[in-house]
C-alpha cells in the first residue's frame, strides 16, 4: 500500500467502528487485523487495513508490527495492541450516537470528508455543549483541542 493512499478517502463509519472494537481489546491481549475485520465485517478488508494503517501512523492506536500486504496480497498477522491516549480522547468525541448522527445529518458531504475533519467538528460540538452546560462567560470559554 502506497503511503499516500492511506490519506485518500476513508470510510468514516468504518473508522468509528475500528475505534470501538480496539477499545474492547482486554489489557495485555492483542487483536489481529484479520480478526478486527471479522468484527467489522460490514466493511472491506481494504477499508479496515487503510484505517488501521492511518490510525497507527497518526498515533490513535498501537500496532505491534507494521500493517501491510505481503507480495501475494495476503494479510499478514499484524497485531493491534490498544488505543493510545489520543485514540481514547478522540473516541470520546464521537462515542455518542447523538453527536455522530447530528454530524452525519447536517453535513451533506459526510462520506467525502476526512475522518480528521469529522473529529474536529465533533470537538467543536463538544466545546459548545460544555460551554452551554456551565454557562461560562466568554473569557472562560472552553476551547479544548484534543489532539
Amino acid at each position: 500500500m502506497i503511503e499516500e493512499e492511506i490519506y485518500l478517502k476513508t470510510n468514516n463509519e468504518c473508522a468509528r467502528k475500528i475505534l470501538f472494537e480496539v477499545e474492547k481489546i482486554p489489557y495485555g491481549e492483542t487483536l489481529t487485523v484479520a480478526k478486527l475485520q471479522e468484527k467489522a465485517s460490514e466493511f472491506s478488508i481494504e477499508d479496515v487495513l487503510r484505517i488501521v494503517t492511518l490510525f497507527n501512523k497518526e498515533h490513535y492506536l498501537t500496532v505491534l508490527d507494521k500493517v501491510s500486504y505481503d507480495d501475494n496480497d495476503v494479510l499478514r498477522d499484524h497485531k493491534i495492541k490498544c488505543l493510545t491516549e489520543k485514540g481514547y480522547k478522540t473516541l470520546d468525541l464521537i462515542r455518542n450516537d447523538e453527536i455522530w448522527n447530528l454530524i452525519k445529518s447536517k453535513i451533506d458531504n459526510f462520506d467525502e470528508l476526512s475522518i480528521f475533519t469529522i473529529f474536529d467538528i465533533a470537538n467543536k460540538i463538544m466545546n459548545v455543549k460544555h460551554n452551554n452546560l456551565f454557562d461560562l462567560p466568554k473569557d472562560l470559554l472552553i476551547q479544548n483541542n484534543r489532539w
Side-chain angles (χ1 to χ4, degrees):
M1 183 177 293
I2 299 171
E3 189 167 322
E4 291 80 28
E5 281 184 29
I6 65 171
Y7 289 101
L8 295 177
K9 185 175 174 156
T10 57
N11 183 318
N12 294 328
E13 292 286 348
C14 183
R16 182 177 187 235
K17 174 82 171 178
I18 286 172
L19 290 174
F20 277 119
E21 291 301 329
V22 172
E23 181 187 39
K24 295 176 188 175
I25 299 172
Y27 179 78
E29 295 184 23
T30 60
L31 181 69
T32 65
V33 174
K35 289 289 184 191
L36 174 62
Q37 199 277 324
E38 287 176 17
K39 292 175 179 287
S41 61
E42 64 268 35
F43 305 106
S44 72
I45 189 64
E46 291 81 12
D47 280 342
V48 171
L49 183 62
R50 183 178 298 114
I51 292 164
V52 168
T53 303
L54 177 63
F55 283 176
N56 184 47
K57 181 177 175 64
E58 297 297 326
H59 309 289
Y60 288 87
L61 52 82
T62 301
V63 176
L64 298 180
D65 299 306
K66 290 184 181 180
V67 178
S68 64
Y69 283 99
D70 68 13
D71 293 337
N72 298 319
D73 278 349
V74 177
L75 188 62
R76 293 184 184 157
D77 194 28
H78 300 291
K79 295 179 180 178
I80 302 165
K81 183 177 179 183
C82 60
L83 290 178
T84 62
E85 180 181 359
K86 182 178 179 180
Y88 277 110
K89 288 180 179 180
T90 302
L91 178 56
D92 284 344
L93 293 173
I94 60 171
R95 180 182 305 278
N96 184 301
D97 287 339
E98 182 181 334
I99 300 291
W100 184 256
N101 292 330
L102 175 68
I103 294 169
K104 283 175 50 177
S105 69
K106 297 290 183 182
I107 299 177
D108 293 335
N109 61 341
F110 175 83
D111 293 328
E112 297 170 13
L113 293 177
S114 157
I115 189 62
F116 301 115
T117 302
I118 303 298
F119 294 162
D120 189 45
I121 292 168
N123 188 54
K124 289 179 175 153
I125 291 170
M126 292 306 289
N127 286 341
V128 169
K129 283 185 167 272
H130 291 148
N131 290 333
N132 290 340
L133 176 67
F134 296 107
D135 195 24
L136 296 174
K138 286 188 177 185
D139 59 331
L140 292 178
L141 289 179
I142 299 168
Q143 293 297 323
N144 187 3
N145 191 356
R146 295 182 185 254
W147 49 92

